[in-house]
Each structure stands twice: as C-alpha cells, then as structure tokens.
Amino acid sequence: MHQDHRALGLAPLSTVARNSVSGAIDIAQGKPVQPVTLVRPHAAARAARFFVEKFPGRSMYAVKANPSPDLIKILFDNGITTFDVASIGEVRMVARTVPEATLCFMHPVKAEEAITEAYFKHGVRTFSLDSMEELEKIMRATRNASDLTLCVRLRVSSEHSKLSLASKFGVSPHDAKPLLFAARQAADALGICFHVGSQAMTPEAYADAMERVRAAIVDAAVTVDVIDVGGGFPSTYPGMEPPPLERYFETVHRAFESLPISYSAELWAEPGRALCAEYSSIVVRVEKRRGNELYINDGAYGALFDAAHIGWRFPVALLREPESTVRDHPFSFYGPTCDDIDHMAGPFLLPADIQTSDYFEIGMLGAYGSAMRTAFNGFGSDETVIVEDEPMASMYAIVEREAASNVVKL
Ligand SMILES: *Cc1c(COP(=O)(O)O)cnc(C)c1O
C-alpha cells in the first residue's frame, strides 16, 4: 500500500481512494481498472488479541511481514505493544507511528550507525547478534551501555517450514558457547533467539529448536533471562493447512517450562505472518484468457511475489453476480509486466467459465504480499479499501465462533 512505501522513504506509487464497503463483491461492481487492495482491520485485531490472550509469553510483531502504519496501529491497539524491527527505516517508522511501543532490533547484522541511532534516539535496548564481531559493534555503537538485552541468535533447522531461514543467520552450536559467555558479560539481560523458518507446518519445529537451546545453555553454563522463539507461526493457504495455533503454543510452553533457566525468565515470540496474513487481499481483473492461463493486472512485481517466486498458492474467488455455477478448473496466471518471470503457476481453482473482464479476489496477501509491491513497468496501484467481510481463510474465525457459541450455551 502506498503508506508502506512512503513510511519507508520509498516513492509512493499513486493516489489513494479510501472508503469502506461491506465486501469484495462491492469492489468488483465498481469495475476498477487497477488492482485494488482490500484491508480487513477486524481480522488483524482478532489475530492480535488471539496472541495476546493465548501465547504464554510476550508477542511482538515482526514488522517486515507488512510495514503498514495502519496495521501497526491496529496491532498496538489490540495489545501487541512490542515490535521486532530489522532496519533503521523500520525503527523510525514504528517510533513515529506508535511512540509508546517497545522496539527490539532483531536483525543479527546491523549497520553501526543504525544501532547508535536506535539506542540513543529511539530508546531501543534489545538487540540480536550471532557473532563476536556484532557484539563488539553493539558495544561500540552504544558506548558500552549497561542496560542492554542481548539476544544470541542460534542456528536451528528449517526442515518443518515452507521458507527456510536456516543458512543466513544464527551461530552454530559449536560456536555458541564463547558467544553466549561474552554476551552474558556485556548484557544486562541475556536472551537466546532463533527462527524455525516461515510457515512452520508442525509444532515439532519449535520442540526441536528448543532442544538446541537447551544444549546451548547447558554447554555454556550461563544464566539466560529471555527465550525468544521467533516467528514462523503459520497462516492457512490452499494445500498448506497447519494444525491450530494453540498446539504450537502448548509445545512452546512445555519446552520453555523444561529449560534449565530461572523461573523469572521471560518467553517471547516474534510472529509476522500469523498476525497479518488475513489483513489484506487484492481484487484483480482478467485482461485476457489463453486456455488455462489468465492474464491479470497484478503479479510478481505487485502483491504476488511469493506466488511467482516460491510457488505459493493463495485462495481465489470469482466476484461475479449472479455467481457462476460452473465447476472449478485449475488456472495459472500471468501478471501485467512484459517478462516471462511474471508468472504464477498455481494451480488456482476458479470456475471454468471465467473470462476476460471478470474480477476475482486473491486472499491471504497480508503477509509478504502488500509489503513487497513495486511499481515496475508502470503497473501497480495504491487504491486501498477497508472491507468488513471475512478473509478468505482464517486461523482465528472458528475459534471466535466457538467462543460465541460457548457464551450462548452458558
Ligand atoms: C521474518 C522474521 C520474523 C517473522 O517471521 P514469520 O515467519 O513471518 O512469522 C520474525 N523474526 C525474525 C528475526 C525474522 O527475520
């Protein structure tokens, strides 16, 4: 969305028309020429409340998943008051958007100037690191501050996740001991953090990672004050339907309780995707049909980066009235730019009679969809509309319905 680009100091894409309608179908009836981003504040608020109420520790929001200031305010208002930031651009934007928030700078490789500004200007006290070099850098940049929470990032397996974060960051088990020891000397509070990879499909991912944490603590024989289980909590997509989030929380809690740490130690998490996936979707138009291929007006350089580059599948729904009664058929998409890379293989299931100038919604794009958009080749648009209908899938809606029916039973 345009605010994201502006917020991070990038060029805004174009103008916004901001109104609120009840659902995606209303947007299609307006026959927009450009793709329209739909946002669902109620879905983000529900996800935030879910983590606040059910995760057995502190949940922060990993801003990179979707840096929309509107979203950040919604999360803040619903109890997510700590934010995992990874760049000075994110630090400044969140500090400006929600000045009361607590920021944790969780990128293990930071510019020294960014650390200095974060510490002295924005009150950031929590930093992650995965090397001796970074530890020295943080100490230099903060002039040997004595009030730091330093989180050592451990390398863990990404085998249970759809998107690996295993090779770039994290100290290996072999090198963890001296680093934990040195960080303990420098820190006011010592943390251990990790990231199991994005869209972890089983709670076992966290159980396995916590075993690495246990081994590292035993090996280094240090007192640990914070265990940060990172992100990776899943959302739901076609062909990637995970178990309920409560199961993840139970696994994390059980593992945390059994670690050799003091009983005042804190448990943190840094969900990105799980807090924002349901927040937004897009309405696109079919510009051409060629057999099973639909040429649409958004694509790999727009909100569909993951659909194009890592074969992610998103739910789709034709927006036509009266509704098509024709059976679903698998389609792939081409985006609007002039290159072959702008291709989303899917398959995406849509009624077989879909045709040029039909509109459809592509759901669950709140995480790493809106955040990745560009204006390459002159395509893309910033039109954003607030809608009140349900997201196309949800990790939270069923829970809320069950809660409502329990109330009725009482
Ligand atoms: C990307 C990232 C997250 C968020 O990951 P999700 O899979 O979106 O939950 C959290 N922490 C760190 C350090 C990250 O890099």
Side-chain angles (χ1 to χ4, degrees):
M1 281 165 288
H2 87 295
Q3 293 105 321
D4 312 339
H5 291 257
R6 261 214 313 254
L8 295 174
L10 309 174
L13 286 169
S14 68
T15 50
V16 210
R18 231 173 197 229
N19 49 341
S20 176
V21 300
S22 54
I25 191 80
D26 304 320
I27 302 301
Q29 277 161 0
K31 301 205 175 304
V33 177
Q34 308 269 23
V36 178
T37 299
L38 311 186
V39 294
R40 294 180 169 85
H42 68 282
R46 178 169 67 192
R49 288 194 304 268
F50 186 95
F51 267 85
V52 169
E53 283 161 23
K54 301 195 186 237
F55 180 75
R58 180 205 298 227
S59 302
M60 43 178 132
Y61 172 57
V63 172
K64 80 162 187 282
N66 186 332
S68 156
D70 289 343
L71 170 63
I72 284 164
K73 283 197 205 108
I74 293 163
L75 297 176
F76 186 87
D77 290 344
N78 286 278
I80 302 284
T81 56
T82 309
F83 293 83
D84 161 4
V85 287
S87 63
I88 197 64
E90 289 183 355
V91 170
R92 291 174 187 154
M93 186 272 290
V94 178
R96 197 165 57 230
T97 306
V98 279
E100 270 95 80
T102 303
L103 306 188
C104 299
F105 208 150
M106 302 308 279
H107 193 305
V109 184
K110 296 166 285 297
E112 192 159 332
E113 295 83 349
I115 300 168
T116 300
E117 182 181 329
Y119 181 84
F120 289 102
K121 192 162 170 210
H122 303 289
V124 179
R125 293 294 177 267
T126 302
F127 298 87
S128 81
L129 59 123
D130 66 1
S131 67
M132 235 21 132
E133 198 186 336
E134 188 74 8
L135 176 59
E136 285 157 16
K137 193 200 287 174
I138 293 168
M139 297 322 292
R140 247 188 344 263
T142 61
R143 299 196 204 111
N144 291 311
S146 59
D147 57 355
L148 299 176
T149 296
L150 296 179
C151 294
V152 172
R153 168 96 168 245
L154 284 192
R155 175 170 304 178
V156 299
S157 161
S158 273
E159 66 175 314
H160 297 297
S161 304
K162 293 290 175 182
L163 261 176
S164 173
L165 274 81
S167 46
K168 193 167 181 178
F169 299 130
V171 62
S172 66
H174 180 73
D175 298 323
K177 181 176 179 175
L179 186 57
L180 281 167
F181 202 78
R184 177 71 275 176
Q185 307 300 306
D188 176 37
L190 176 65
I192 294 183
C193 60
F194 58 80
H195 197 302
V196 297
S198 205
Q199 185 75 6
M201 291 303 292
T202 157
E204 286 310 302
Y206 295 89
D208 293 355
M210 289 293 240
E211 279 311 307
R212 297 257 188 119
V213 171
R214 169 196 304 283
I217 295 173
V218 169
D219 189 37
V222 288
T223 307
V224 175
D225 309 295
V226 173
I227 301 293
D228 176 356
V229 299
F233 296 94
S235 185
T236 180
Y237 304 88
M240 289 188 277
E241 290 92 356
L245 285 170
E246 283 97 333
R247 297 246 322 264
Y248 290 75
F249 296 173
E250 282 156 21
T251 299
V252 166
H253 189 230
R254 213 176 309 122
F256 175 73
E257 290 288 309
S258 74
L259 287 177
I261 47 178
S262 86
Y263 92 112
S264 62
E266 290 181 30
L267 175 65
W268 298 356
E270 307 164 355
R273 178 186 305 281
L275 285 175
C276 62
E278 298 174 24
Y279 178 60
S280 80
S281 63
I282 54 173
V283 169
V284 297
R285 184 166 75 175
V286 180
E287 304 292 8
K288 172 185 167 174
R289 175 171 175 178
R290 184 176 78 181
N292 303 331
E293 298 163 325
L294 303 178
Y295 291 66
I296 60 176
N297 58 355
D298 202 17
Y301 300 93
L304 300 175
F305 183 97
D306 284 350
H309 296 286
I310 53 175
W312 211 269
R313 288 171 58 207
F314 294 93
V316 288
L318 182 60
L319 301 170
R320 195 201 284 164
E321 277 188 332
E323 230 176 280
S324 172
T325 53
V326 177
R327 214 174 326 150
D328 279 348
H329 184 82
F331 289 94
S332 66
F333 304 151
Y334 275 113
T337 70
C338 303
D339 52 8
D340 283 358
I341 299 174
D342 199 359
H343 178 247
M344 285 61 65
F348 302 97
L349 297 178
L350 284 160
D353 67 342
I354 190 167
Q355 58 195 10
T356 301
S357 76
D358 268 330
Y359 287 86
F360 64 92
E361 181 177 6
I362 308 178
M364 312 301 281
L365 288 169
Y368 309 107
S370 332
M372 312 273 286
R373 293 174 47 208
T374 75
F376 177 55
N377 224 173
F379 293 102
S381 113
D382 287 319
E383 195 180 342
T384 301
V385 179
I386 296 168
V387 287
E388 285 151 15
D389 59 357
E390 277 297 298
M392 292 176 67
S394 181
M395 296 292 285
Y396 310 102
I398 298 161
V399 179
E400 203 165 70
R401 270 200 298 280
E402 276 170 3
S405 68
N406 285 343
V407 170
V408 172
K409 272 181 225 146
L410 293 174

